[in-house]
Amino acid sequence: MADSIYSDLRDDRREIRLLFLNAGQPQDAIVATLMVTSLNWAHEYWTPEYETLSYVWGDPLTTRAISLNDQPYHITENLEAALRSLRHAGRARILWIDALCINQNDPREREHQITLMRDIFEGCASCVVWLGDEDEETERIFDPLYWMQDNLHVHRWPCFDGEIGRQVSEDDLTHGVGPALKPLQNLLNRSWWYRTWTFQEFILPKTHEIRCGRFEIPFDLLVRSQQNFTRHGNSCCMFASNSLMVMARQTKALLGNVVLPLYETRQYLERNDDLDFLATLEDNCHRIATRDHDKVYGLIGLAAQAVRDSITPNYSLDIAAIYAQPVVERLRSHASLRPLVALRNQDKELQLPSWVPDWSSNPIGGIPPWLRRSRYDLFSACGSQLLHPRIYDHRVLHVRGIKCESLKSLGQIMETFQEGLADPVSNRLLVLRDNYEMAMSENTDQDPSAKNFQQTAFWRTMLFDCVRCDGETSLRRAKGSDYNGLRHLFDTGSAPPDEANMSQLLNDVGFNLYRAQFAITTSGRLAMAPFNTQVGDEIYILAGGNMPFVLRPSAITFSPPGSSDPPQPCHTLVGECYLDQFMDGEYSDRLREDSADIFII
């Protein structure tokens, strides 16, 4: 049936289809017509003003019929509900909707239309976000949003019952705030907020209409509510009960996780032309896509033109090749190994090379992606030695480097960490003490200056020689007062009286220790290595690498095509590391003079 509805689109003219949704009353059958137009201006095309629809398809097996080009056509229930709710009563509405404007039975057309997504969404008059049909509690989301927007303290909300110990209802210990927040939480848990495709569909258009059934939710209202509620929750509003605190924290986290990334990304694009595509992939790896390929293809519209030109959607490609493409483009265009700090837990079924990030899983450990990227940029382990990478079949990464250490002993892994707890130090201090004893056991010299040198190296290593200097947003290299403050806390159990940032320093140490490992090399140097490091792993300085990398020798050998050299041993990549006194180019002369071929698989 689809073949008789859809005619072929001309790729060279960047043709697309638009949907004319006929006017109708709620009970009327849905009738629509497709029209072919072009994203290129040409006199033979009429391109009317149109809107795009961003929605979640829903269950593909549960469908309803509409009339499309005078023929019956089945669409998902959620799309049918959107069309029924969004159509005008007195005039046609012109929309671009992926499920209808793209022939879903034509793989080649689907792949080519993905390359046009940026222009389609940037060129629309507005994007209609369809969260789904309303329910009996949807109307109640607006009360707490307006209270947040109006900057009210929680205890000033009209619903708040301040009598301590009194239950507002049999199952409510939140002073009346819980029932007010629950509908908002349910709205923010709807699947649209967590899909891969919907992120770029929201970021690219200039304006939006967010709909839940017949209710429109202004995005500005969500943004102001998030900003004000976060500020109150982090400062003045001390909630009256544990139940209220849990509910408020959950709502604050939902607003931060759902609204803030959309707002900040749009703000960034207003000041800059393009996003860092690898950072975009990493920051959105938690989003859901039906196919693994769409973890890349569903965000490609946000990439710079050079990246989009280098990645041609092709669902027949091996997933390893698709996940490697953004990394290969960055390695070649920026001559830097920064993409390798985006590593994460890999799904073994995908059979990815160790240097290719698994864009479908969450980051390694608990270190925020922005912190790992910012930390990498602070150092210059390779000095001025530039990267000239070669990649073979998206499987083997060929770089130059030099081995500087092997790991002989490893410390504990801190399995749990939550930033900002009222008593955040006990778990960290236990791990710090074990690591400290391990480090000092290496120092057999009784000279006090040697002991002091080892202590300073230890605290430098615990901090990765850097600290956050502006809350959450930037890093600086650590200095003597930072080391001394931690040493004072470690020795006395209390922060020094003149150290106002001790809580922040402890959080930095917590991030560094969480599922990471303190390590000592065969020559006695101190290091912080990825949590999955093993004794016998090797530390390399690689050309183009701001930080040293932990590599694991492999039994596999490799020789580049056409090479007359015998096959060389390969390595797998474990991750970047901190190696004390090797972070600022101290090995760059040896790297320049003695580097060898390194094959990472």
Side-chain angles (χ1 to χ4, degrees):
M1 184 67 68
D3 292 339
S4 61
I5 292 176
Y6 295 100
S7 58
D8 291 340
L9 296 178
R10 290 187 57 174
D11 296 351
D12 60 326
R13 294 194 175 189
R14 302 173 74 234
E15 288 184 340
I16 64 170
R17 300 183 188 91
L18 293 177
L19 181 87
F20 282 68
L21 178 61
N22 288 8
Q25 298 301 317
Q27 70 277 8
D28 294 340
I30 295 173
V31 179
T33 305
L34 292 171
M35 181 198 80
V36 174
T37 186
S38 170
L39 293 172
N40 294 339
W41 183 90
H43 70 274
E44 64 264 39
Y45 292 102
W46 173 57
T47 305
E49 187 175 85
Y50 65 93
E51 300 167 287
T52 52
L53 179 65
S54 178
Y55 69 107
V56 175
W57 280 32
D59 185 355
L61 300 179
T62 306
T63 63
R64 293 184 178 178
I66 65 169
S67 173
L68 183 63
N69 284 10
D70 297 322
Q71 298 185 44
Y73 192 84
H74 287 269
I75 60 176
T76 63
E77 278 189 338
N78 191 45
L79 178 54
E80 194 269 352
L83 296 178
R84 189 171 294 280
S85 179
L86 296 175
R87 69 177 165 184
H88 297 309
R91 58 184 173 87
R93 191 166 192 172
I94 305 173
L95 297 160
W96 184 91
I97 304 173
D98 57 357
L100 297 175
C101 296
I102 300 174
N103 183 356
Q104 300 298 325
N105 292 328
D106 184 345
R108 190 204 60 78
E109 180 180 305
R110 289 205 318 267
E111 292 166 354
H112 185 261
Q113 291 284 297
I114 289 173
T115 68
L116 304 179
M117 291 291 191
R118 180 177 179 127
D119 293 330
I120 290 171
F121 279 87
E122 281 188 331
C124 68
S126 179
C127 176
V128 181
V129 172
W130 176 254
L131 299 179
D133 258 333
E134 66 196 77
D135 55 31
E136 67 279 358
E137 62 180 19
T138 301
E139 190 171 11
R140 292 163 48 205
I141 70 168
F142 291 99
D143 285 339
L145 286 175
Y146 285 128
W147 298 334
M148 295 175 194
Q149 177 188 247
D150 292 343
N151 214 19
L152 295 181
H153 296 291
V154 173
H155 67 275
R156 297 293 186 189
W157 288 11
C159 67
F160 187 83
D161 188 316
E163 186 173 339
I164 305 298
R166 171 183 163 185
Q167 292 184 199
V168 176
S169 67
E170 193 171 298
D171 59 351
D172 177 31
L173 297 174
T174 66
H175 301 270
V177 174
L181 287 177
K182 193 63 179 176
L184 178 59
Q185 287 190 354
N186 291 339
L187 182 90
L188 296 175
N189 278 318
R190 292 198 179 210
S191 58
W192 182 90
W193 305 102
Y194 303 97
R195 303 293 296 188
T196 299
W197 282 101
T198 57
F199 184 74
Q200 75 167 8
E201 291 169 359
F202 187 88
I203 298 302
L204 293 171
K206 298 179 180 64
T207 60
H208 308 86
E209 175 188 337
I210 303 176
R211 290 283 298 273
C212 184
R214 60 190 170 92
F215 295 101
E216 181 174 353
I217 307 162
F219 185 60
D220 287 348
L221 173 62
L222 292 171
V223 170
R224 289 193 296 271
S225 299
Q226 186 275 327
Q227 292 171 339
N228 290 345
F229 195 60
T230 298
R231 184 172 62 255
H232 280 267
N234 289 342
S235 56
C236 52
C237 287
M238 296 294 103
F239 304 116
S241 71
N242 287 335
S243 297
L244 174 54
M245 184 176 296
V246 169
M247 174 65 74
R249 279 182 174 171
Q250 288 173 345
T251 307
K252 186 179 72 163
L254 273 172
L255 285 166
N257 293 336
V258 164
V259 177
L260 190 60
L262 297 173
Y263 172 72
E264 288 186 336
T265 305
R266 286 180 57 79
Q267 290 291 107
Y268 180 88
L269 278 179
E270 288 181 5
R271 302 187 301 267
N272 304 273
D273 292 333
D274 294 295
L275 296 171
D276 178 334
F277 189 52
L278 286 182
T280 301
L281 291 174
E282 186 166 27
D283 293 340
N284 291 281
C285 64
H286 64 284
R287 297 185 182 274
I288 300 168
T290 303
R291 303 184 67 176
D292 288 332
H293 309 64
D294 291 332
K295 299 294 254 181
V296 174
Y297 296 158
L299 296 167
I300 192 65
L302 298 172
Q305 186 65 55
V307 179
R308 300 200 303 275
D309 290 343
S310 71
I311 299 175
T312 301
N314 183 347
Y315 284 92
S316 66
L317 283 179
D318 178 78
I319 195 67
I322 294 172
Y323 282 13
Q325 285 176 332
V327 179
V328 171
E329 190 280 332
R330 176 62 68 85
L331 290 172
R332 288 173 171 163
S333 63
H334 287 67
S336 167
L337 290 178
R338 190 173 186 250
L340 301 193
V341 307
L343 291 173
R344 58 197 74 254
N345 298 314
Q346 291 184 329
D347 184 343
K348 293 182 179 179
E349 292 184 3
L350 298 180
Q351 297 182 331
L352 301 173
S354 64
W355 56 274
V356 174
D358 181 356
W359 301 120
S360 66
S361 66
N362 289 323
I364 286 176
I367 302 173
W370 73 264
L371 181 57
R372 297 181 72 189
R373 297 191 295 262
S374 298
R375 189 167 65 188
Y376 177 87
D377 291 339
L378 281 180
F379 302 110
S380 57
C382 70
S384 60
Q385 301 305 301
L386 296 179
L387 174 69
H388 300 286
R390 297 178 182 176
I391 296 94
Y392 305 101
D393 195 28
H394 291 99
R395 286 283 173 185
V396 180
L397 173 61
H398 179 186
V399 296
R400 300 282 293 179
I402 186 168
K403 175 183 171 183
C404 52
E405 292 285 354
S406 294
L407 297 175
K408 73 170 183 179
S409 54
L410 300 170
Q412 286 190 49
I413 298 175
M414 191 170 76
E415 295 287 355
T416 60
F417 168 65
Q418 183 174 347
E419 184 179 18
L421 292 177
D423 177 21
V425 301
S426 56
N427 195 24
R428 270 160 274 184
L429 287 179
L430 287 173
V431 177
L432 279 173
R433 190 166 299 281
D434 286 341
N435 290 345
Y436 179 82
E437 292 175 357
M438 179 176 160
M440 297 312 294
S441 68
E442 289 291 314
N443 180 40
T444 57
D445 194 331
Q446 298 303 311
D447 184 354
S449 63
K451 180 179 180 181
N452 184 67
F453 179 86
Q454 186 77 344
Q455 287 177 333
T456 301
F458 174 75
W459 294 115
R460 208 166 39 228
T461 303
M462 291 298 99
L463 282 172
F464 267 76
D465 199 19
C466 59
V467 296
R468 284 182 281 181
C469 58
D470 185 22
E472 296 288 337
T473 59
S474 60
L475 295 177
R476 62 167 171 82
R477 294 295 289 268
K479 52 190 179 182
S481 60
D482 302 317
Y483 311 138
N484 293 335
L486 280 175
R487 185 182 300 182
H488 187 279
L489 174 67
F490 185 74
D491 291 339
T492 67
S494 62
D498 58 344
E499 180 53 71
N501 296 319
M502 184 52 60
S503 176
Q504 185 64 66
L505 285 173
L506 283 171
N507 279 330
D508 290 337
V509 171
F511 276 129
N512 295 338
L513 290 176
Y514 178 52
R515 299 188 70 203
Q517 287 188 282
F518 175 61
I520 298 179
T521 71
T522 51
S523 65
R525 295 193 179 276
L526 308 185
M528 284 295 289
F531 75 94
N532 51 343
T533 300
Q534 300 174 5
V535 171
D537 286 346
E538 301 167 348
I539 299 179
Y540 279 76
I541 305 293
L542 302 176
N546 286 20
M547 296 179 72
F549 288 89
V550 178
L551 303 182
R552 182 168 299 153
S554 168
I556 298 174
T557 60
F558 177 79
S559 181
S563 173
S564 59
D565 296 332
Q568 300 294 312
C570 295
H571 292 77
T572 58
L573 179 61
V574 181
E576 79 276 11
C577 74
Y578 176 87
L579 180 60
D580 193 52
Q581 296 187 309
F582 278 75
M583 304 302 293
D584 296 300
E586 293 89 345
Y587 232 56
S588 60
D589 287 344
R590 286 201 58 191
L591 177 63
R592 182 177 60 252
E593 296 167 1
D594 302 327
S595 64
D597 291 325
I598 310 295
F599 299 104
I600 304 175
I601 58 174

